Amino acid sequence: MTVTIYDVAREANVSMATVSRVVNGNQNVKPATRKKVLKVIEELGYRPNAVARGLASKKTTTVGVIIPDISNSMYAELARGIEDIATMYRYNIILSNSDQNQNKELQLLETMLGKQVDGIVFMSDVISTELLYEMERSPTPIVLAGSIDETNAVASVNIDYHGAAYEAVKKLVDNGHKKIAFVSGPLSSKINKDFKLKAYKEALEDAGIDYDEKLVVECNNSYDEGMKAVATLQPYEPTAYFVSNDEMSIGVIHALEESGKKVPEDAEIISYENSKLARMARPMLTSIAFPLYDIGAVSMRLLTKYMNEEEIEEKQVILPYRIEERQSTKNNA
Amino acid sequence: MTVTIYDVAREANVSMATVSRVVNGNQNVKPATRKKVLKVIEELGYRPNAVARGLASKKTTTVGVIIPDISNSMYAELARGIEDIATMYRYNIILSNSDQNQNKELQLLETMLGKQVDGIVFMSDVISTELLYEMERSPTPIVLAGSIDETNAVASVNIDYHGAAYEAVKKLVDNGHKKIAFVSGPLSSKINKDFKLKAYKEALEDAGIDYDEKLVVECNNSYDEGMKAVATLQPYEPTAYFVSNDEMSIGVIHALEESGKKVPEDAEIISYENSKLARMARPMLTSIAFPLYDIGAVSMRLLTKYMNEEEIEEKQVILPYRIEERQSTKNNA
DNA sequence: GTGAAAGCGCTAACAC
DNA sequence: GTGTTAGCGCTTTCAC
């Protein structure tokens, strides 16, 4: 039924080894034999079986990607970055959604290792100690993309979340605001709690402004909760908002405008993400650029180094961020 | 180094066959032996090698997914639908982006088949005859998701694109419009050219309105081109717009408002997609619901039937659509 | 209920 | 430059 390397060898009057050599581009083959073999391969429609190859060579040229949810544009962007570099290095990707469910994450890791992937890119807001334990004893290299492991046991690629958030809040402070709200994503996420929120507090403190917990509201990152946050915050009359992502920022803008407030005149907003949405908002969002595509790409690149057992110069990569200034803040040029 | 089924068999004093049976949940094992084997598996930390299993059983429990671009929210939604059902049936997914490049599509197909996937879900705006040829002779089942193959040679899942577009344009006609613009995606796509555009013409014709090609503008589906389309159309003074997706619709709204026009008072808009964006627009978009998630889910479900060699009742599945009425059209309740 | 053994289709020494 | 052969780790008859 299916044509194998054996069939090709027989038809071409050579050994399987020789066929294998031409298929794998090994130079130790006389041009004439190579040509003959190639001809038979063509005639028979031979297609190498990657599974057999994987078993024999212990390499599958596929890497596992575990992310929270591909239908979320942030993670989709990350996935594209990963896939592009993977393709460049001839790897395929097994993609799975964890929904940030720890059991699912553990089980997915197990499945991927069972499938003998050559490496894994992993993303999650929180890396449990159990997960970390499994990652450390993984027979296959793993890199964390946009995810924090404080122990630095696993390789990772991130930006300076604290620095970015600090700069954003400081900008708001410098524009004269005293009541700055923080519309946060889930505080179960280390990035929100230990970096953004912390930076928010520090920026305030450094400006001599008292921290008021009433001004921070925890949301689920959705547009609707962005709108609701404005209602929740209304009694405390914030004049500026630092918002955890673009979608919520749009919710904040819409809620503000419905209540008769103008952005940026009555309230300034700095978002975090700088996705396509930032330019599709009215006013367009000033936003901290969170380079998801790059994080994915660099993570995958780093992974290839581990897979090739190359020298790793830095295990914890920190990518640059920048603030894209648009219309949701006043221009103080 | 790695522990194999052989190690487990030896330690448990049973044969490899028996270990295989307990690992695969075969009932023909005495409870006592099962328990003993399970214990050894636990102790040794045995993890079955899916590659070896795949070679022996000729099943990999992974399916290939070829889509244009995962960073596009439409395809991401589709991918999520596919993955959820795949997970439900214990399949993993190899995900690849084709960027609608035909050579890449062919090569991706080849790679997936080489990796011995048990099935493939494929999406592309245009299925070339060459691709179709390869699909027909694929040893593995393939289903097209949201993609048209006029020959009906390959299984597929779609909605009634023509009916949906016709209904949208008719609604605009019924609202009294005579100059209805069609802001289309690429006309290289069969869905745009042979379904939406055709339905647009028919709806106009049925209403006794002459077709004017000046009123249709071909775009690349982006926000920016949505904005530009309004400028291009401005000399012909359309009073209603049928737009190919939500992102372009938002561009149209913004351009319209910048030129002093109010939506829906001065211009009505019906979009196509009904993504999360539709509710995030101001005014919120009336939009034809294009159920990408469902298309993905149903495609994958259909694929499982092929993979299990079940009876297929319908090879070409047509899912229902509906029009979500919101604020970008006038309410004629 | 359990075991023996023959593959699955390929790679990778090693020999010539 | 090419061939031989022993696995890779599992499933799957077929016996018993």
Side-chain angles (χ1 to χ4, degrees), chain A residues 80 99 223-224 279 282, chain B residues 80 99 223 254 279 282:
Chain A
R80 186 44 139 132
D99 292 316
Y223 171 76
D224 287 338
R279 283 184 53 246
R282 283 290 135 38
Chain B
R80 187 41 142 133
D99 293 315
Y223 171 77
H254 286 168
R279 285 184 52 247
R282 283 297 174 290

Side-chain angles (χ1 to χ4, degrees), chain A residues 54-202:
Chain A
L55 184 58
S57 69
K58 298 180 165 305
K59 290 197 183 325
T60 54
T61 64
T62 107
V63 307
V65 175
I66 301 174
I67 58 175
D69 174 15
I70 193 63
S71 69
N72 177 310
S73 64
M74 291 226 212
Y75 307 127
E77 203 61 50
L78 180 92
R80 186 44 139 132
I82 295 170
E83 219 265 332
D84 280 356
I85 305 303
T87 298
M88 190 174 297
Y89 285 88
R90 314 238 105 96
Y91 285 96
N92 286 107
I93 248 139
I94 296 187
L95 193 284
S96 288
N97 302 113
S98 69
D99 292 316
Q100 310 251 31
N101 170 6
Q102 196 203 129
N103 283 335
K104 221 163 156 184
E105 288 173 338
L106 283 166
Q107 177 233 308
L108 247 20
L109 226 188
E110 188 65 18
T111 304
M112 303 251 171
L113 293 177
K115 294 225 167 177
Q116 313 301 118
V117 295
D118 296 336
I120 293 174
V121 178
F122 191 99
M123 181 180 211
S124 187
D125 278 352
V126 21
I127 313 290
S128 64
T129 52
E130 192 176 350
L131 206 47
L132 203 55
Y133 172 74
E134 293 298 337
M135 287 183 172
E136 291 184 61
R137 52 186 297 241
S138 161
T140 255
I142 298 182
V143 0
L144 298 176
S147 310
I148 300 292
D149 147 35
E150 280 174 325
T151 71
N152 283 353
V154 183
S156 65
V157 179
N158 288 284
I159 64 168
D160 176 4
Y161 306 106
H162 183 283
Y166 187 94
E167 190 175 331
V169 177
K170 180 159 191 316
K171 191 176 286 281
L172 260 11
V173 166
D174 289 348
N175 278 9
H177 297 282
K178 303 290 179 201
K179 292 189 170 180
I180 302 171
F182 175 33
V183 179
S184 174
L187 291 173
S188 54
S189 157
K190 201 176 275 304
I191 291 177
N192 288 326
K193 185 168 181 197
D194 298 341
F195 292 83
K196 294 190 197 171
L197 179 55
K198 211 162 169 191
Y200 165 81
K201 288 181 184 173
E202 285 181 26

Side-chain angles (χ1 to χ4, degrees), chain B residues 158-231:
Chain B
N158 287 285
I159 65 169
D160 176 5
Y161 305 107
H162 183 282
Y166 187 92
E167 190 175 331
V169 177
K170 178 160 192 314
K171 192 177 285 281
L172 261 11
V173 166
D174 289 348
N175 279 8
H177 296 282
K178 302 290 178 201
K179 293 191 170 180
I180 301 172
F182 175 33
V183 179
S184 175
L187 289 173
S188 55
S189 158
K190 201 176 276 302
I191 291 178
N192 288 325
K193 183 169 182 196
D194 297 342
F195 292 84
K196 294 189 197 173
L197 179 55
K198 210 161 169 193
Y200 165 82
K201 289 181 184 172
E202 285 181 27
L204 255 33
E205 188 181 335
D206 291 353
I209 300 175
D210 282 342
Y211 169 67
D212 178 358
E213 65 176 13
K214 294 271 175 41
L215 284 171
V216 355
V217 8
E218 182 178 4
C219 302
N220 68 358
N221 282 331
S222 74
Y223 171 77
D224 287 338
E225 296 222 348
M227 290 196 75
K228 277 192 217 142
V230 172

Side-chain angles (χ1 to χ4, degrees), chain A residues 109-309:
Chain A
L109 226 188
E110 188 65 18
T111 304
M112 303 251 171
L113 293 177
K115 294 225 167 177
Q116 313 301 118
V117 295
D118 296 336
I120 293 174
V121 178
F122 191 99
M123 181 180 211
S124 187
D125 278 352
V126 21
I127 313 290
S128 64
T129 52
E130 192 176 350
L131 206 47
L132 203 55
Y133 172 74
E134 293 298 337
M135 287 183 172
E136 291 184 61
R137 52 186 297 241
S138 161
T140 255
I142 298 182
V143 0
L144 298 176
S147 310
I148 300 292
D149 147 35
E150 280 174 325
T151 71
N152 283 353
V154 183
S156 65
V157 179
N158 288 284
I159 64 168
D160 176 4
Y161 306 106
H162 183 283
Y166 187 94
E167 190 175 331
V169 177
K170 180 159 191 316
K171 191 176 286 281
L172 260 11
V173 166
D174 289 348
N175 278 9
H177 297 282
K178 303 290 179 201
K179 292 189 170 180
I180 302 171
F182 175 33
V183 179
S184 174
L187 291 173
S188 54
S189 157
K190 201 176 275 304
I191 291 177
N192 288 326
K193 185 168 181 197
D194 298 341
F195 292 83
K196 294 190 197 171
L197 179 55
K198 211 162 169 191
Y200 165 81
K201 288 181 184 173
E202 285 181 26
L204 253 35
E205 189 182 334
D206 291 353
I209 300 175
D210 283 342
Y211 169 66
D212 179 358
E213 65 175 15
K214 295 272 177 37
L215 285 171
V216 354
V217 8
E218 182 177 4
C219 302
N220 68 358
N221 283 330
S222 75
Y223 171 76
D224 287 338
E225 296 222 347
M227 290 197 76
K228 277 193 214 141
V230 172
T232 309
L233 288 162
Q234 192 255 321
Y236 315 109
E237 303 178 325
T239 58
Y241 296 78
F242 174 46
V243 185
S244 247
N245 73 9
D246 290 344
E247 191 176 325
M248 286 203 293
S249 293
I250 295 182
V252 168
I253 289 180
H254 287 168
L256 247 20
E257 299 201 326
E258 275 178 17
S259 72
K261 294 236 173 59
K262 281 273 181 209
V263 177
E265 294 80 358
D266 304 326
E268 291 191 72
I269 296 174
I270 296 186
S271 185
Y272 196 107
E273 180 176 351
N274 197 39
S275 66
K276 190 157 66 172
L277 284 182
R279 283 184 53 246
M280 291 170 64
R282 283 290 135 38
M284 292 195 256
L285 297 171
T286 290
S287 191
I288 295 173
F290 183 22
L292 270 319
Y293 179 92
D294 296 345
I295 289 180
V298 172
S299 297
M300 184 63 212
R301 177 66 184 103
L302 181 56
L303 187 60
T304 63
K305 290 184 185 170
Y306 277 101
M307 294 188 295
N308 293 332
E309 297 179 324

Side-chain angles (χ1 to χ4, degrees), chain B residues 75-223:
Chain B
Y75 308 126
E77 203 63 48
L78 181 92
R80 187 41 142 133
I82 295 170
E83 219 265 333
D84 280 356
I85 304 303
T87 297
M88 189 174 298
Y89 285 87
R90 314 237 106 97
Y91 285 96
N92 286 107
I93 247 137
I94 295 187
L95 194 282
S96 288
N97 304 111
S98 69
D99 293 315
Q100 310 250 32
N101 169 5
Q102 197 202 132
N103 283 335
K104 222 164 156 184
E105 288 173 338
L106 282 166
Q107 177 232 309
L108 248 19
L109 225 188
E110 188 65 18
T111 304
M112 303 250 171
L113 293 176
K115 295 225 168 179
Q116 312 301 118
V117 295
D118 296 335
I120 292 174
V121 178
F122 191 98
M123 181 180 211
S124 187
D125 279 351
V126 21
I127 312 291
S128 65
T129 52
E130 192 177 350
L131 206 48
L132 204 56
Y133 172 74
E134 294 298 336
M135 288 185 172
E136 292 184 62
R137 54 186 296 243
S138 161
T140 255
I142 298 182
V143 0
L144 298 175
S147 310
I148 299 292
D149 146 35
E150 280 173 324
T151 71
N152 284 354
V154 184
S156 65
V157 179
N158 287 285
I159 65 169
D160 176 5
Y161 305 107
H162 183 282
Y166 187 92
E167 190 175 331
V169 177
K170 178 160 192 314
K171 192 177 285 281
L172 261 11
V173 166
D174 289 348
N175 279 8
H177 296 282
K178 302 290 178 201
K179 293 191 170 180
I180 301 172
F182 175 33
V183 179
S184 175
L187 289 173
S188 55
S189 158
K190 201 176 276 302
I191 291 178
N192 288 325
K193 183 169 182 196
D194 297 342
F195 292 84
K196 294 189 197 173
L197 179 55
K198 210 161 169 193
Y200 165 82
K201 289 181 184 172
E202 285 181 27
L204 255 33
E205 188 181 335
D206 291 353
I209 300 175
D210 282 342
Y211 169 67
D212 178 358
E213 65 176 13
K214 294 271 175 41
L215 284 171
V216 355
V217 8
E218 182 178 4
C219 302
N220 68 358
N221 282 331
S222 74
Y223 171 77

